């Protein structure tokens, strides 16, 4: 019994030692884990957005006034016959470009040729009559000096000569009229241009100024008409005082002018209902790229503006407060500047206030940055 109690006590003591060892081991592990967790991992550095920048530059830019406009022909006529007759020939096809003097239509000329031949024959008859009257008067003059002819007979010979002269002049005029009528049988282009669609078939009996044959419009040069406001008129007149105003023309969809011309007309009355005045430019159209009635845009170059502060239009942002640009400050953070805009020049826009020459303006990643954000400027590119 005593031995059993001693063995039981030894077992209990051994178990306590084991539990204590396990407890000490767990505490060591906890202490080791706590030491490992207490060593803080370094946090990653804050991301800095790379941004493209350009310097604000000064340059001289042209100042334009921009208007919607419409093309008009300088000359636009209706082709009609000047003599009656049957239309014999259409010499120029519909819609072709013709030069001055080109044959367009021909009226049957036989009647006019016969009238001309008749008038010429009458001239020949009157010429012979005049020659005889002149010779007869010459003989009468000698006889009158000798007293062999009466004064009344001499006066008759003088009158006959004058009648022959008048008859000859009358028939010579008839010849010229017949020649004109014969020439009018050929309808020629009075100026270079383009004819339209034929309106009288061959064989039609045409009357004088009663039958429309076709139309002819002049294409080169061509008018471009627009309507400046009365507030712009002062600037335009100041520009005209210094010399001719250059006008640039842009077709729909174009960003660069395709033709240039000159302001040639400003009306003398302002339309009180619209507050505008009619103006007109003359544009060269050698390639016939413009047709009458076409809608275009025109720009009037009225002056040059020196020392304009220019930035790319891609640098502009919009907010409820207005237009702004982001500028890189000295510590490479974003500074937002509200700006006032001036005229544009290509891809650049003039800034009237808000920036200074040499400021570094951010031109990209505008949606990913904000005021005060750190940025990393990419290599600077000068504004062009």
């Amino acid at each position: 019994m005593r031995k059993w109690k001693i063995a039981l006590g030894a077992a209990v003591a051994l178990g306590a030692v084991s539990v204590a060892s396990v407890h000490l081991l767990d505490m060591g592990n906890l202490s080791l884990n706590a030491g490992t967790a207490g060593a803080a991992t370094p946090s990653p550095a804050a991301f800095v957005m790379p941004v493209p920048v350009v310097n604000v530059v000064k340059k001289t830019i042209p100042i334009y006034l921009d208007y919607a406009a419409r093309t008009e022909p300088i000359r636009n006529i209706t082709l009609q016959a000047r003599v009656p007759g049957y239309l014999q020939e259409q010499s120029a096809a519909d819609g072709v470009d013709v030069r001055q003097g080109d044959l367009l239509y021909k009226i049957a000329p036989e009647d006019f040729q016969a009238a001309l031949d008749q008038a010429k024959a009458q001239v020949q008859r009157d010429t012979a009559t005049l020659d005889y009257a002149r010779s007869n008067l010459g003989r009468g003059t000698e006889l009158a000096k000798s007293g062999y002819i009466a004064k009344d007979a001499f006066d008759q010979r003088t009158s006959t000569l004058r009648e022959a002269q008048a008859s000859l002049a009358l028939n010579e005029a008839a010849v010229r009229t017949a020649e004109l009528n014969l020439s009018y049988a050929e309808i020629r282009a009075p100026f270079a241009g383009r004819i339209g669609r034929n309106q009288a078939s061959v064989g039609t009996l045409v009357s004088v100024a009663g039958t429309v044959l076709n139309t002819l419009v002049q294409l080169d040069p061509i008018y471009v008409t627009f309507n400046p406001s009365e507030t712009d008129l002062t600037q335009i007149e100041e520009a005209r005082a210094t010399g001719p105003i250059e006008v640039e023309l842009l077709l729909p969809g174009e960003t660069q002018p395709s033709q240039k011309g000159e302001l040639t007309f400003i009306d003398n009355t302002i339309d009180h209902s619209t507050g505008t005045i009619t103006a007109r430019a003359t544009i060269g159209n050698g390639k016939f790229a413009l047709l009458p009635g076409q809608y275009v845009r025109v720009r009037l170059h009225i002056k040059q503006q020196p020392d304009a502060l220019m930035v790319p239009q891609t640098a502009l942002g919009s907010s409820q407060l207005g237009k702004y640009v982001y500028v890189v400050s000295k510590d490479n953070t974003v500074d937002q500047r509200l700006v006032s805009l001036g005229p544009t020049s290509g891809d650049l826009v003039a800034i009237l206030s808000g920036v200074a020459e040499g400021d570094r303006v951010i031109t990209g990643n505008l949606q990913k940055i904000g005021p005060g954000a750190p940025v990393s400027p990419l290599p600077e590119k000068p504004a062009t």
Side-chain angles (χ1 to χ4, degrees):
M1 185 67 178
R2 179 178 178 84
K3 291 181 181 179
W4 181 83
K5 291 182 178 179
I6 293 173
L8 181 60
V12 171
L14 181 59
V17 172
S18 299
V19 172
S21 299
V22 172
H23 178 71
L24 291 175
L25 181 60
D26 290 342
M27 291 298 292
N29 289 337
L30 291 173
S31 177
L32 180 60
N33 291 337
T36 304
T41 303
S43 60
F47 177 73
V48 178
M49 176 65 67
V51 290
V53 297
V54 296
N55 285 337
V56 177
V57 296
K58 282 184 178 181
K59 63 180 296 187
T60 299
I61 61 171
I63 302 300
Y64 295 99
L65 295 177
D66 197 321
Y67 302 102
R70 192 172 185 176
T71 56
E72 295 180 355
I74 293 179
R75 286 184 284 186
N76 180 8
I77 65 169
T78 299
L79 296 175
Q80 294 177 293
R82 300 181 68 174
V83 291
Y86 287 96
L87 191 62
Q88 185 181 66
E89 177 184 325
Q90 179 186 354
S91 302
D94 292 358
V96 300
D97 299 319
V98 297
R99 296 172 296 180
Q100 183 176 359
D102 283 356
L103 180 62
L104 306 180
Y105 291 91
K106 189 174 182 179
I107 296 173
E110 291 80 9
D111 292 344
F112 309 110
Q113 183 64 57
L116 176 60
D117 294 340
Q118 182 180 0
K120 287 182 176 179
Q122 290 174 342
V123 166
Q124 293 176 349
R125 182 196 62 189
D126 291 340
T127 300
T129 301
L130 178 61
D131 290 340
Y132 173 77
R134 187 176 290 116
S135 299
N136 197 27
L137 180 62
R139 290 189 296 270
T141 301
E142 296 297 327
L143 293 174
K145 290 179 181 180
S146 305
Y148 289 104
I149 188 173
K151 181 70 169 60
D152 181 66
F154 178 77
D155 291 340
Q156 287 180 353
R157 295 186 182 189
T158 303
S159 177
T160 301
L161 174 64
R162 291 176 179 175
E163 288 178 357
Q165 290 174 333
S167 179
L168 177 61
L170 179 63
N171 286 311
E172 285 177 341
V175 168
R176 291 193 296 270
T177 300
E179 289 174 342
L180 283 175
N181 289 336
L182 181 60
S183 68
Y184 292 156
E186 293 183 344
I187 301 172
R188 297 182 177 271
F191 53 83
R194 179 175 296 177
I195 64 171
R197 181 171 56 88
N198 178 50
Q199 300 182 46
S201 302
V202 173
T204 300
L205 177 60
V206 298
S207 58
V208 178
T211 305
V212 175
L213 304 179
N214 210 319
T215 57
L216 175 67
V217 297
Q218 180 178 339
L219 297 181
D220 182 31
I222 196 169
Y223 285 148
V224 179
T225 303
F226 53 98
N227 299 97
S229 66
E230 55 184 322
T231 56
D232 291 343
L233 185 58
T234 301
Q235 299 182 63
I236 295 174
E237 292 295 353
E238 290 176 352
R240 290 183 75 189
T242 62
I245 297 180
E246 183 184 66
V247 177
E248 297 179 350
L249 183 143
L250 293 88
L251 295 173
E254 288 185 341
T255 57
Q256 295 298 324
S258 55
Q259 282 103 345
K260 294 183 178 181
E262 182 180 323
L263 180 66
T264 53
F265 169 76
I266 294 180
D267 207 350
N268 56 6
T269 304
I270 293 177
D271 187 340
H272 64 86
S273 62
T274 62
T276 61
I277 191 169
T278 301
R280 189 171 64 203
T282 303
I283 305 291
N285 190 29
K287 296 181 179 180
F288 300 158
L290 300 174
L291 294 177
Q294 195 169 351
Y295 287 100
V296 295
R297 295 200 66 83
V298 293
R299 300 191 309 186
L300 275 63
H301 182 198
I302 59 172
K303 63 180 178 180
Q304 296 286 109
Q305 178 176 328
D307 298 330
L309 298 175
M310 308 299 294
V311 300
Q313 297 189 46
T314 55
L316 295 176
S318 297
S319 69
Q320 293 180 346
L321 299 178
K323 296 292 184 180
Y324 66 84
V325 295
Y326 285 141
V327 176
V328 179
S329 61
K330 293 182 180 180
D331 58 354
N332 285 346
T333 58
V334 176
D335 183 15
Q336 186 183 42
R337 306 272 186 88
L338 294 176
V339 294
S340 298
L341 303 183
T344 59
S345 178
D347 295 332
L348 302 180
V349 59
I351 303 297
L352 303 181
S353 65
V355 297
E357 184 179 11
D359 282 347
R360 295 182 298 170
V361 175
I362 299 173
T363 60
N365 293 333
L366 301 184
Q367 294 79 16
K368 301 177 181 179
I369 57 177
V375 292
S376 175
L378 297 176
E380 298 178 3
K381 298 179 181 180
T384 57

